[in-house]
Each structure stands twice: as structure tokens, then as C-alpha cells.
Amino acid sequence: MQVPALIFLFCASLTLGGVAPHSAEAKGTAAPESLEVLDNKIQPPTTGSKNNSPKNSLAGSKTSEQGKGSQESVFDPAEVEMLVLEFRFGRYILSDGMIGYLQRGGLLLPLGEVTQMLDFAITVDPVAKQAEGWFISENQRFSLDVARGEVVIEGKSRRFDPNLVVLYPEDIFVDSTLLAKWFPVDFEFDLSALLVKVTAEVPLPFEEKLKREKAHARLGRGTRERPKYPRKEPPYRLLSWPAINSSYNFDYNSETREFGVDSSNLVSGDFLFMNTDVFIAGDREDNLSSLRLRMGRQDPDGELLGPLRASEFSLGDVFGPQIPLIANSQSGAGFQVSSFPLLRESEFDRVNLRGELQVGWEVELYRNEILLSAQTVPNADGRYEFLDVPLLFGSNVIRLVFYGPQGQRREEVQRVNVGQDQASPGKHYFRFATSFQNRDLFEVEDEETTSSPIRGDGQARYIAEYQHGVTRWLSLAGNFASLPLEEGRRYFGTLGFRSGLLGASTRVDVTKNDIGGTALQAATLTNLMGLNLFLEHSRFFEFQSEREENLFDPVSHRSKARLDSSVPSLGLVPRIPWSITGELERRESGVDQIELTNRVSMFLFGTSASNSLDWSLTRGGDIEPLTTGTGTFQLSGRFLRLSLRGALNYGIKPDPELTSTAITGDYRLNRDFSASLGLNRQLNGEQLTTYNAGLNRRFKSFAVGINGAYDDDGAFSIGSSITFSIGREPRKGRWVTRSDPMASSGTASARVFLDNNNNQAFDKGDEPLKDVKFRSGSRDRKTDEDGIALLTGLSSNRPTPIVLDTASLEDPFWVPAHKGYEVVTRPGRPALLNFPVTPTGEIDGTVYLRTGDSEKAVSNVKIQLLKTGDALKKKMVRRLRNHLDTVYVNHKGKLVRRISFSGNRKHTFFNYPFNRSHNRVQLKEPFQSPIENVSLEEEKELEVMQEVKTEFDGFYLFQLVPMGRYLVRVAPEQVERLNLKTPEPQEVVIEGSETVMSGVDFLLEQAIPVEAKVKLVSTESQQK
């Protein structure tokens, strides 16, 4: 008993340690408004311009402090989800790496970068909280004053919601819907692809520029696909060091006069070449109340288990699949394997979401940014569960938001597509699962505390599913199940089809059991002009199963319908999503059960609100009609530094009454210190009110808090909590601790170094680079003195881009060999990423066109820089033109340097580094090297690194060219279109200290003389 008390006092002292600094700060003189608070230090103000972006201060940056009475919003970037977005306009890529922030109900975009991307002449000054300029044409003036909450467009002043405009030290972030109201553009956001599609009502400036130039130089990679980064996935190991999430709650209760301890630990890592999770929990009554183990793998490409081509398999404590009309999803020790696409459920209109929920954590469920439900405490098994979550036709973005006991916040996002439920022609999927019903792998509960067992618990369950694609719109499906029920073991079989005809996802099934019962079910899900429609009808003929278990009054038939849509936004009134569900169930006795459910949601002033109504009517047969009605109102929002979460439960029928209410508010005093207040009131029955209060302090390595509760009966409790995670930094081989969880999310160890020998490996002579930033979902994005950054909080088991912020490199002429990686991580197994950085050089030259006996410089010629591969190095032997004056070679006959003269301009370039230690032989005669040309097929395989056009004097320049071997050529398609002779490509090698390669010239000649070409065109015209 003494140990929990000592731990409580320790946590309390750490937590209260944050009060004194905060109080002193409050009493001291406020900092001048011209200073910004960055990384908890006072820094000089940053000059704002339209070129400013948040990518120079991603990690740990804080928003500027508000002046007294200001209306602007601020936010901590660590508390919202940061996204690295690609912007497209039609087939053109406007930006492949702009940062945005996802807040509930909206996407925040940097005003300065957006206007620069669209070529709007608008200057953004975040220090002054203003933006000024014009767009499209000079008479369309734009002026923004965040402090006053006013924007002036074309002379018309209008107000805006201050929660949609957020100040950041280096830019002003604006909600995309508000940008669409200010400018004649629209932004369509695709979360799964991290893509923003831009559309415009009028031609944009860069479009006109493209038309004038008849090229895509403005966009650089205008016709290329979105950049694909190399994929990295850590290999599975026999045994790896684990990551551990730990949460402990210590409290004293005045009624029992005892100290109690609740604990939970999640351990993740690799074991036996599988990802393994171990969950251990204890409570005040039992130090070990739960012990679960799960092992398995997931592969979105479906390459597991050799010829089975499975997409996932797992063993240990698993959940079996939910089968329509037959089986619920039950937990138990067992095994399952599936080749169905990940997240493909057996029922296409709903999904079950489960996971471990540690002590003191809460979770909210959002679908397409609509608040659907919340769970404030773990269930009896230490899990969160959201069962039968309804899905819409098309894309469903499921977002789980977790709140920690000390103010932590993390999100899990996944996307479920509904509408392609059928298999492709010739494709087949299978799923098999077996488990011991309601029995964990390790039974740790005492017999005294174990509830009365249900018949069938502990017995084996077997479920098998199969689907085969027949045509593009039709596939056949079937399943088999063997289940232990109350009346004994039963066997079930189903045959059916899945269809995507006429834009609707349709399912038809016929199910029979082993005692002669039959069930028929047909369901369809579609979208009609923005209205999601779900229809389902079931008919039963003496059919009983785990899901249809009423033996005394079986169901005869059941019909269900669901409508989902939204009321469009009108002015300041936001979009209002709504849903109506109706179900009619007829039993053999003639009793009808009618249920209606309605949900209305709204996002306004930074708050998500949702209200649900449930009506039930029972009538018919020999019973009196009975009507009941209940409702639940939920809200969750953030206003400035205050986070609110609340719920109100009420009854409508038979008696209108308020049954219970709860509200919790968290106020962030600074980045790592917060206070919370809560109220829970039971409004019927005992009408008991409980008050809660707490103080929380987050450190880099752990988070602690103290909390207390008091109710109307005079009972009270006081306690403390501590949360931390432990992981191993794989490069340094040492353990690290964090206040954020590491065992429930992905981790990557990124090393950035100056690659002096250009071998893309960190070895002797290379220099680690400090304070380099990354674009990822982690709070820790800066490299340390060893050039290493441990990136935590990454999405697990799905591709996540990790991009190096080149603006954070101290030398602007350094470039990384890899700008980013697409990483597929898993909990407890960090991915190792290397970012070698090399100095860069320049390549320039002039292009001439020979007409008759004269040569003149030509403009608008496309010159391409290609990266050569190892297989082509031996073929890159250059042909030297006859007008060379002097050539230098080393003692091995290798070309070292050549100097050429063309007219009055002198061009010097190096094909190889000039090494003064080599023995040189000066040749007075022009030197001819052996020739082995590169074929056109081989040239096409080379990667085009850069493409530029010659200026008015024929001059071109490639900048920021990394060290390496390159090929410079005239664009083949332009040579062919202009009917020119194909000029020989030239090899250039950038190495050592000599990085400026000048004089890489080209001489163009027409394949057909001008006179002959004119005659040919004339002849063709006459023939036509």
C-alpha cells in the first residue's frame, strides 16, 4: 500500500512542477507583439511574404500569441494531423509537396503557398496578420486583416468565421472552403491519395502562360505522374526488440479507504517472423486481469503464404468474421487467414472496429468527418468496440481519435470503399477462421469472478468463405459455418452472388442449416444524385442461427432501409449531414417490431455536434402497443486552447426526461501543461452529480497527471496517472522513452548525412547533418548531432510518405539522393531510412543550328539531362569534334580534360575529374576516341532528371545537378518533329571539387535541305 502512495506523491510533484513556471510567466511582462514564440524560445520575427511556408518550422513550432481581444485562431501543429499534399489542375501537377492540416470538418491550407502556386500577386505577412494584392487581373484587389476578422475583395468588405483562419509563424492557414469563396477556384480533397484537385471558374494566370509558351516549363513535371518515392518496408525478423506502451492509474477512494492501481501495457514487435502484440492489464482486484497474444501478417498486395496468395493471417486471440444471417464476430483463441482485400468485410454495408484501449484513454469515431460515437472507458476486456458501423456507397474515411489521460491525442485513419464488392473476372478470394468460442489463449481470470458460462463457450467454431469472379459485374459467393449454439452444434451453408450492375452494389444469398431451415436475403447499396440508399429484405422459413436465435417466436421476415445525405451549406450555415434508418420485423405470432433511427450532424465554430433519435414501436398479436423513444446528443470541439467533449442522454417516450449528461473540458496552458474539468450528472433515479478536475504535465519521455473526483454524497477520490512508451533506436542501439505511444503506431529511424564519396552509404569521411527536418506525422522530426531522427506516430500497415524538407539543409546547393520514401511500417519494428545528401553542380552549353555554311544560336530547344545506369557506363565513350585545339589524357589514355573554341566564346568542361597527380600527355593533334554509340532503345530507358529550354542566345543551364554520371541530349521528340539529324548525346561526369561543366554544345542540322523540304511540301499539297 505504501508503494502506490509514494508513486502518487511522485507524480503529483512532477505535475505541479509546471504550475510555478506558468504562474511566473503570467505575472511577468508580456512579450512584445513583434516577437514570435518558436520551440519554446523567443525568436526574431519572420518577415512574411507570399513565398513563406510552414515547412521551415514544422517540428514543435507554436502559433503566435494572440493580442488582447484579437479574434484570430491559433493551434498547436502537434495536436492536428499534418498532411503532405499533392495539388493537381487537370493533368498538371501544381505542387507535389505542400503542407496542409486536417481539422475536424475542414482542410487548412497555407495562403501564401496557394497564391504563389496559382500565380496570384498577393503578399502574405503573418507577423502583421495581413495579406494584400490582386488576383486574375489588377482590378480584382484582395486584402485580408486577420486581427479584424475582415476581408475586402474587389472593394466589398465581408466578415469570416475566425475559426477558419489560423495564424502560423510563417504563413496564414485558411480553410479550403473559405479560399473557394474568396477566389474563383475550388479544392476537392482525396484523403486516401493525399491529393487536392484544383478547379477554376475562369482561366488562371499560369494557364495563359502555358498557352503563350506552348509548353509545360512553368510546371516542370506537368505531364508526369505524381512522384513515386521508393518503397521501404522493414523485413520480418525471428525476434526483434519490442516497443512498449504503459499506462498506470493510482487512486485513493474515500468509501473503501484503500489505494488502488489500474494498469495496462501493450508490447509490439517481431517474433517468429510475424508481427506480435501482447496486451497485459491489471486492476485493483487482480494484478493480472487480462493477457492476450496476437501474431500475424498483413500484405495489401496479397503475396503471403506462397501459392495461397493471402492478404492477411493471424493466430492467437482473434476475432472471427461476421457472416450475414449466420454468425456474429466472436473473440477466441484460434487462427484465421484471408485473401480478400484488406478491410473487406463480409457485410458490405457495415464494419466492426475493435482494438486495445489502455487505462485512462478515450476514443471517438468519425465517418467522413461525422461524429458517430464515442467510448470513454475500456470494456470488460480492455478494448474499444464500435460494432455495425454503417457504411456509405463509395468512399468511407473512418477516423478514430484517441485522447490520453494527460491530454495526448492521436488518430488512426483508414479508408473503406463500398461499391466494388464483387471479385474481378477469373479472380477468387477465400477466408477461413477457427477459434475456441469466448476463450482467450491465456485464461487468467479467477473462477470466483468469472461470470456464468454460456453453453458452447470453449468449443471450436469453423467459418469458411469463398468468392469467384464470373464477369466484370457478377461474382459467385458461398460460405460454410459450424457453430456451437445453446441447443447444440449447428451447420450452415450459403450460396449467393454479388453484382455491381447499374452502379449499385447488390448481394443475394440463400442460406440453409442442417435441420431444414432456410433463409433468403437480398440487399443493395447505391448512390442516387447525392443520396445514399441502402435496402435489405430477409425471409425466414423455420430458420435459427446465432444471429436469429429466438426459439419461442421466430422472425418471419425483416425489411430495412437507410437514407444518407446532407443539406448543402447556405451562407454561414454549414453543410448538415443526416441519416434515417427504418426497420420492420414481423414475427410468426403476428407481432411487429418497428424501429426508426435518425442522426443529424453539424460542424460549426470548430465543434462537431451530432444528435441521434431512436424510436421503437411494438404492436400486433396479443400484446398492447408499446412505444419508446430515446436520444443522444454528442459534441466534440476545439476553440483556441480549449477542447470540449460532451454527451447528453434523454428520453422522449413514454416520458420525456433527461437521463444523464457529461462534459469534459481541457484547457492547454502551454504546449505541455493543461488543466481539465469535468461533470457527470445522473438526471434520473439517484440524480447524483460527480465533479472531476485534473492537472496534466507532458515531458518528452513521459506524461503525468493528478486528478480528483467528488460527488453529492460526499464521497471523493484522488489519484495520479503516468503514461509512457519505450522503444529502441535501432542505429544507436539504445532505449528511448516518449510520452506518445510507440507500440500502437509505426516508427522510422531516418539518417541524413553529407555523402562525400557519393556511394549513397554512410561510411568513413561522411558527415552527419544536424537539425534537418522531415514531413511526417511525428512530433520528432529534427535530426540530432548524429544526423538521426526517430520518427514516431506513423500509420501502420499502410504506405506513408516521409519526405525530407530540403529547405532545412544549411547549404542551398545540397540535394538529397532520395527526397522521400514510401514507408510501410508496423508497430514495434522501426524502418531504417538513409538520406544521403550530395553537393551539386551545373551544366551549361549552347545550341547552334547550321543553315548552309553558317551557324547561329537557336532558342526554345529542349535539352534533357538523363541519369545513366551502371550497365551503360562502358558505352558512354564520347566522340570529340574536329575543331578541338588541345586535349589532355592521363597515362592510361583516359580523357581528362578538353578545351574547345567556338567563335569568340571559350568553353571548358571536364568529362573526368582533373587529378594533378596523374601523368599528363599533351596532344597537339585532335584526339579521336573509340566510339560505341548508345542505341535509341537504351536512351529511352534512361531517367530524365531535368528538362530546360535554350534562351534567345541558344544558351541553356542545368542547376542543382547531384554528383554522378549523366547524359545530355536534345529532346528526341523535338528532333523528330523538326526533321533534324539526331545529334549525338554527350556524357558529363560531375565529381570532386570541379562541379561546373561548361561548353556542352550541340550543333543541329536538318535531315532534309530546306529547298528539298519546300519542294516536298509543295508536291504533297498538289497531290491533295
Side-chain angles (χ1 to χ4, degrees), residues 977-1008:
R977 188 174 66 253
L978 299 178
N979 196 32
L980 301 172
K981 291 182 181 180
T982 302
E984 182 184 357
Q986 301 193 46
E987 185 194 18
V988 176
V989 179
I990 299 180
E991 291 179 346
S993 59
E994 300 291 345
T995 58
V996 179
M997 309 299 172
S998 299
V1000 187
D1001 300 340
F1002 290 93
L1003 180 63
L1004 303 180
E1005 297 182 87
Q1006 290 193 336
I1008 301 177

Side-chain angles (χ1 to χ4, degrees), residues 28-203:
T29 304
E33 292 186 0
S34 60
L35 296 180
E36 298 289 350
V37 181
L38 301 177
D39 295 328
N40 298 327
K41 299 178 182 179
I42 299 297
Q43 302 286 352
T46 303
T47 302
S49 69
K50 72 176 183 178
N51 297 323
N52 288 335
S53 78
K55 60 187 178 181
N56 291 326
S57 55
L58 297 180
S61 297
K62 297 186 67 175
T63 53
S64 58
E65 300 291 337
Q66 292 191 89
K68 195 172 183 180
S70 61
Q71 303 178 32
E72 68 271 8
S73 298
V74 295
F75 72 92
D76 185 348
E79 298 300 322
V80 293
E81 183 178 4
M82 188 190 72
L83 306 174
V84 181
L85 304 169
E86 176 184 303
F87 284 72
R88 285 193 182 184
F89 183 85
R91 61 184 180 132
Y92 303 121
I93 298 178
L94 302 179
S95 174
D96 58 7
M98 186 182 298
I99 292 173
Y101 288 98
L102 184 65
Q103 287 207 118
R104 298 186 189 96
L107 174 67
L108 296 174
L109 299 176
L111 177 62
E113 289 200 44
V114 169
T115 54
Q116 181 185 16
M117 177 184 69
L118 300 175
D119 274 349
F120 292 171
I122 295 176
T123 300
V124 177
D125 189 344
V127 176
K129 307 170 188 176
Q130 295 177 344
E132 187 78 28
W134 56 271
F135 59 95
I136 306 298
S137 60
E138 294 188 24
N139 62 341
Q140 295 180 279
R141 303 294 302 180
F142 175 86
S143 177
L144 170 66
D145 192 325
V146 180
R148 296 174 57 187
E150 181 184 38
V151 62
V152 180
I153 302 176
E154 298 185 64
K156 297 180 181 179
S157 176
R158 62 181 79 173
R159 310 292 293 178
F160 57 83
D161 184 355
N163 293 287
L164 302 181
V165 179
V166 176
L167 286 176
Y168 202 94
E170 296 200 12
D171 211 325
I172 299 175
F173 278 70
V174 182
D175 190 277
S176 60
T177 57
L178 195 55
L179 288 175
K181 294 179 180 179
W182 291 351
F183 305 117
V185 293
D186 195 13
F187 303 91
E188 180 183 350
F189 178 42
D190 186 344
L191 177 62
S192 64
L194 295 178
L195 175 66
V196 177
K197 296 181 180 179
V198 182
T199 56
E201 303 172 4
V202 297

